[in-house]
């Protein structure tokens, strides 16, 4: 199962990097989303989540679930959502002002 999850994270990284290298601004935003989701999945896979008792300190419990990886990924998901919403607003504003989302056209020319 770990091999499948690592492979899926690699596919997300690859698709994200491909979209980051595109010329359209919206594809760049989608690329950042895919890369962040790949990082979340990779981190959860490498944490080797195991099933067990809740992380409460009581007598007799020898195996429990570590809550730290889930807490870190949950925080990273919230941060990624904020960055994505900011990038979408920035892309919308760029499109309304410049009437294009092509990065080559947004770069301008040397005489401008």
């Amino acid at each position: 199962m770990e091999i499948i999850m690592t492979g899926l994270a690699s596919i997300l990284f690859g698709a994200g990097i491909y979209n980051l290298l595109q010329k359209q601004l919206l594809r760049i935003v989608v690329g950042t989303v895919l890369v962040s989701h790949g990082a979340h999945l990779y981190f959860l896979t490498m944490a080797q989540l195991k099933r067990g008792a809740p992380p409460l300190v009581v007598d007799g419990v020898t195996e429990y679930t570590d809550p730290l990886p889930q807490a870190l990924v949950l925080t990273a998901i919230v941060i990624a959502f904020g960055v994505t919403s900011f990038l979408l607003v920035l892309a919308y504003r760029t499109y309304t002002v410049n009437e294009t989302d092509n990065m080559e056209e947004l770069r301008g020319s040397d005489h401008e």
Side-chain angles (χ1 to χ4, degrees):
M1 185 70 172
E2 187 174 307
I3 302 276
I4 294 171
M5 299 300 272
T6 307
L8 183 60
S10 301
I11 290 171
L12 286 173
F13 275 126
I17 295 298
Y18 176 78
N19 279 322
L20 280 173
L21 297 175
Q22 297 298 312
K23 294 180 182 177
Q24 290 83 17
L25 203 52
L26 190 60
R27 286 188 182 211
I28 294 171
V29 173
V30 170
T32 59
V33 170
L34 290 176
V35 167
S36 68
H37 286 326
H40 301 153
L41 186 61
Y42 185 72
F43 184 73
L44 281 177
T45 303
M46 292 299 113
Q48 296 180 349
L49 298 178
K50 52 187 168 189
R51 297 173 192 250
L56 301 173
V57 180
V58 292
D59 293 334
V61 176
T62 59
E63 193 171 316
Y64 60 91
T65 306
D66 186 15
L68 188 61
Q70 291 107 346
L72 289 175
V73 169
L74 182 62
T75 304
I77 288 171
V78 170
I79 292 170
F81 178 72
V83 168
T84 302
S85 59
F86 173 72
L87 287 176
L88 284 172
V89 168
L90 191 64
Y92 176 73
R93 176 76 175 149
T94 302
Y95 181 77
T96 56
V97 169
N98 299 314
E99 297 178 355
T100 185
D101 68 339
N102 191 336
M103 293 303 289
E104 292 293 325
E105 295 175 13
L106 289 173
R107 183 177 301 160
S109 60
D110 292 335
H111 60 77
E112 289 183 296

